[in-house]
Amino acid sequence: MAFLLSKTSSFSRLQSRKAKVEDAFSVPRRGFHIELGAREKALLAEDPALKKFKSYKKGVWRVKRVGDFLTIVVVAGCCYEIYVRTVMKKEAVEAAKANSKQA
């Protein structure tokens, strides 16, 4: 009987922990929405003095594409180098076996 009571108390503990976790997730991460003040609006507004420093989408897209291409080239070169070393090692082992059989 004591065993059953201990089991039910541990089960109730698990349930209470689960309820606490669900309550923690049900609370929104952001607080209530409040309107931005004048300072926040001024900080978020576009500044014409900074326009010349902004990157343009086409330029960023080209740089990204070049980076992707270079990454593919480097990975292909590494794969080729691994393949060549494996083939050379295999040929060296076969040549060593052939030399040992002839001797």
Side-chain angles (χ1 to χ4, degrees):
M1 186 73 164
F3 176 71
L4 292 175
L5 289 175
S6 66
K7 249 188 170 183
T8 57
S9 64
S10 62
F11 183 68
S12 65
R13 283 186 205 144
L14 288 175
Q15 283 182 332
S16 64
R17 285 184 187 167
K18 186 178 177 184
K20 287 179 186 176
V21 171
E22 286 176 2
D23 290 340
F25 287 121
S26 64
V27 175
R29 290 185 180 203
R30 302 178 88 192
F32 294 105
H33 178 72
I34 40 180
E35 287 297 318
L36 298 176
R39 183 170 184 235
E40 288 87 5
K41 287 181 181 177
L43 288 171
L44 292 173
E46 282 192 33
D47 190 0
L50 297 175
K51 270 197 171 180
K52 64 180 177 180
F53 297 110
K54 287 191 176 184
S55 61
Y56 294 98
K57 288 184 179 181
K58 280 211 170 199
V60 172
W61 181 79
R62 280 192 195 124
V63 169
K64 183 181 174 218
R65 296 296 287 177
V66 169
D68 291 345
F69 176 75
L70 290 176
T71 302
I72 291 170
V73 168
V74 168
V75 169
C78 290
C79 291
Y80 177 75
E81 192 68 30
I82 291 169
Y83 170 76
V84 167
R85 287 180 187 228
T86 306
V87 168
M88 296 296 265
K89 188 174 183 180
K90 188 176 180 182
E91 288 176 357
V93 168
E94 287 175 1
K97 282 183 182 179
N99 287 341
S100 67
K101 285 183 180 179
Q102 287 178 357

